[in-house]
Amino acid sequence: MIAEQYGALCRTVARDILGSEQDAEECLNDALLQIWNAIPPAQPENLCAYLMKTVRNHALNRYKAGHRAKRGGGQQAAALEELSELLPSSENVLSELERRELLAAISRFLQSLPAKKRNLFVRRYWGFTSFSDLAAEFGMRENNVQVTLSHIRKKLLAYLRKEGLL
Amino acid sequence: MNVTELSELLNDLPDQMIVSAYRHSRSGGDADIADAASAPVPAKSSSGQIAVSHRTSAVPRWTVAAVLAACLLFAIGFGAVLLHGNDDALIPQNSPVDSMLEEVTAATASAQTTAAGTENVTTQRTAQTDTATANAGTTQPVTAAVTSEAALSNETDVIESAEETVTVALPEATETASTVTEPETTTAVTSTTAQREPHKIMQMTSAEEVEREGSRMVGEYARRIAELNGKIDEDAPRITTAEVVQMVEDGMDFRAVLERLYALYPYPDYIGGSGLTNIEYWLDRSGTDFILLTIEQETVVHIVYSTDGTGNVFDILNKGGKP
């Protein structure tokens, strides 16, 4: 039932990150299995978004694992991952608050954008969708997608500076 | 903050924003997002298996329906505006023509549809038609046919569809008028082919008789009534084709021509019509050679009805009229 209702969306998220239908399918099944085991203890407010985020995390982990294997043991990636693992321990309460503020500011900025631009931004930077796929789905030329996203990024940067967050 | 942190940060974007970004190109509607947000958490099946299947992209039918509805409303509204605009533009405020048209409206009220979009067709119309047929037979051969369920009935009917076709045909002279009335007041479509009986009008000797005939013809024989009431002499000057042609050639538009004619000749021979408002200025007492002004179409036409079968002549004098 979950797969029937949200399978296509989740598969799109996984495919955009992994770039392969087969990998996306496997990732989706893994994520669904995790969700199956998590529910009902987990009672997400928005089931669809919960599914998509779970699939995204699975896909990102799978992507990292794949690149680690391809790069001779993944030393570089592993090092970066090690560094990133230090981040939570270094975070204090203030930084966590700053993080929340930053997220809230980004959300406000995105809410102020027209729907099309907002969707473009989310699809690109949350879902890692390729320019060509975005162009096809949004009925734009690939170049236009890139320019539009560039403008959004500049605006976001200016907004965050204005808010004193950068 | 590095890229990884930013990626993790963006993972916590609002749920609805994320779903909307993916749904937008598939179903295109917030309703789907709301549905997804409120979707119940599914219970595990007895088999414990999770089915994986492709979801068919939903077609944004409501969008198509909304666009079609908007186009339809626009078309109807535009038509109504045009009708209003024509009326307002053609009938000047405080113009002498106003009174003429008000009289026409009153005279034709019984034949017009009601504000509720229904039409009351009474036995009076049937009686009038029968009387007219009988009277006409004394002067010249007349064939009158009324195609109307209500006319064939002896009872008062309310036609819900408010659509009626009344046809009265004469061998030697006919005029046709049809229009769609304003949608706010009625949806009736009335088409009338009325017979011309100028000779009979001129032979009538009482104003009441002429008024009855005018009512039957959905109008008023204003000049003849004025003659019989002594307001003007029977030999009072009549309009000439040359006068009208000169007005048009002088660059006067339809409204100006109408006002000038009314100023010079305040009693047209006939004012009325069902659907279209016709104003006739006869060039002689026979009524077969006349200038016809149709307000809704803004046309000035010189018409000569043939009485010997050689064919009628229609000469549109102003070329700027509406089709």
Side-chain angles (χ1 to χ4, degrees):
Chain A
M1 181 176 173
I2 294 176
E4 286 179 0
Q5 199 163 359
Y6 307 116
L9 282 178
C10 294
R11 193 176 291 104
T12 300
V13 172
R15 188 178 56 237
D16 285 344
I17 295 172
L18 298 172
S20 161
E21 286 285 351
Q22 186 179 351
D23 288 349
E25 198 68 35
E26 292 176 4
C27 175
L28 176 61
N29 286 331
D30 289 346
L32 288 173
L33 182 60
Q34 179 186 331
I35 291 164
W36 187 255
N37 292 327
I39 295 176
Q43 294 184 342
E45 189 175 338
N46 187 328
L47 178 60
C48 183
Y50 177 77
L51 287 170
M52 292 171 71
K53 287 180 177 178
T54 304
V55 170
R56 178 178 184 264
N57 289 333
H58 268 270
L60 286 174
N61 290 336
R62 198 180 184 89
Y63 177 83
K64 289 174 185 173
H67 279 247
R68 191 161 51 228
K70 285 179 183 176
R71 293 175 183 173
Q75 296 300 318
Q76 186 180 0
L80 288 173
E81 194 167 347
E82 288 171 9
L83 287 176
S84 66
E85 287 175 359
L86 297 176
L87 290 173
S89 61
S90 64
E91 283 184 341
N92 53 30
V93 176
L94 182 63
S95 68
E96 177 61 22
L97 282 176
E98 286 174 345
R99 182 181 178 277
R100 289 181 185 179
E101 273 188 31
L102 184 60
L103 178 63
I106 293 174
S107 298
R108 282 197 305 273
F109 171 78
L110 293 178
Q111 290 288 1
S112 70
L113 290 177
K116 189 173 184 178
K117 289 186 177 180
R118 180 172 63 245
N119 293 335
L120 266 178
F121 184 93
V122 173
R123 288 295 301 273
R124 176 63 183 168
Y125 299 112
W126 186 89
F128 308 106
T129 307
S130 68
F131 289 128
S132 57
D133 286 350
L134 287 176
E137 289 196 34
F138 285 81
M140 303 167 66
R141 286 183 298 180
E142 199 170 321
N143 185 45
N144 285 347
V145 172
Q146 294 181 24
V147 171
T148 303
L149 287 170
S150 173
H151 288 165
I152 296 172
R153 285 198 306 271
K154 286 178 182 175
K155 282 186 177 179
L156 175 59
L157 187 63
Y159 179 79
L160 294 177
R161 282 177 176 164
K162 182 183 174 185
E163 295 285 316
L165 296 169
L166 288 181
Chain B
M1 175 174 288
N2 56 34
V3 177
T4 305
E5 287 176 305
L6 184 60
S7 174
E8 290 175 357
L9 184 70
L10 292 176
N11 192 46
D12 293 331
L13 282 174
D15 292 347
Q16 195 159 350
M17 194 181 291
I18 294 169
V19 178
S20 174
Y22 280 83
R23 293 270 176 145
H24 124 274
S25 60
R26 295 168 181 275
S27 61
D30 290 339
D32 285 341
I33 299 169
D35 292 343
S38 60
V41 177
K44 289 183 179 179
S45 66
S46 57
S47 62
Q49 295 179 343
I50 302 173
V52 178
S53 66
H54 292 275
R55 181 179 180 219
T56 305
S57 297
V59 178
R61 293 174 184 165
W62 67 270
T63 304
V64 176
V67 169
L68 289 176
C71 290
L72 185 61
L73 288 173
F74 177 77
I76 292 172
F78 189 65
V81 168
L82 281 180
L83 286 174
H84 276 297
N86 289 342
D87 291 342
D88 293 340
L90 287 170
I91 304 173
Q93 296 298 320
N94 302 321
S95 164
V97 181
D98 287 347
S99 60
M100 293 184 351
L101 297 180
E102 286 175 4
E103 292 173 3
V104 172
T105 304
T108 58
S110 61
Q112 298 296 325
T113 53
T114 64
T118 61
E119 181 176 5
N120 294 327
V121 181
T122 67
T123 54
Q124 185 180 359
R125 174 179 290 186
T126 306
Q128 288 176 344
T129 303
D130 294 340
T131 305
T133 305
N135 292 340
T138 60
T139 55
Q140 55 185 316
V142 174
T143 302
V146 177
T147 305
S148 168
E149 292 181 3
L152 297 174
S153 171
N154 289 326
E155 299 176 355
T156 300
D157 294 332
V158 177
I159 303 174
E160 294 296 335
S161 63
E163 181 171 353
E164 181 190 21
T165 299
V166 180
T167 303
V168 181
L170 254 188
E172 72 276 13
T174 60
E175 65 177 22
T176 304
S178 65
T179 189
V180 179
T181 54
E182 297 178 5
E184 293 87 2
T185 56
T186 177
T187 57
V189 177
T190 305
S191 175
T192 301
T193 301
Q195 69 182 60
R196 294 177 51 79
E197 300 174 286
H199 293 88
K200 188 170 67 175
I201 300 302
M202 291 305 169
Q203 290 170 0
M204 290 178 179
T205 55
S206 75
E208 291 77 12
E209 197 176 3
V210 176
E211 285 177 357
R212 279 200 302 274
E213 181 61 17
S215 177
R216 188 184 74 82
M217 294 299 292
V218 203
E220 181 184 15
Y221 292 97
R223 174 171 173 127
R224 184 55 182 161
I225 291 174
E227 289 174 358
L228 293 172
N229 288 334
K231 292 183 179 177
I232 60 171
D233 190 80
E234 290 191 355
D235 296 328
R238 289 181 172 276
I239 194 174
T240 64
T241 307
E243 281 180 286
V244 181
V245 170
Q246 187 61 48
M247 291 178 194
V248 173
E249 287 180 352
D250 288 345
M252 297 172 68
D253 60 10
F254 177 82
R255 178 174 168 174
V257 170
L258 185 64
E259 289 183 325
R260 173 69 66 83
L261 287 178
Y262 183 77
L264 296 174
Y265 308 97
Y267 296 102
D269 288 273
Y270 173 81
I271 311 170
S274 178
L276 294 179
T277 306
N278 297 322
I279 298 175
E280 294 181 9
Y281 282 98
W282 298 354
L283 300 181
D284 53 38
R285 290 178 63 84
S286 71
T288 56
D289 189 357
F290 60 100
I291 302 294
L292 171 66
L293 297 99
T294 304
I295 289 183
E296 287 79 2
Q297 294 181 332
E298 297 184 13
T299 51
V300 181
V301 187
H302 178 206
I303 299 177
V304 180
Y305 276 126
S306 167
T307 56
D308 56 5
T310 56
N312 302 326
V313 176
F314 296 87
D315 182 17
I316 300 177
L317 301 180
N318 69 328
K319 306 301 181 185
K322 297 177 181 177

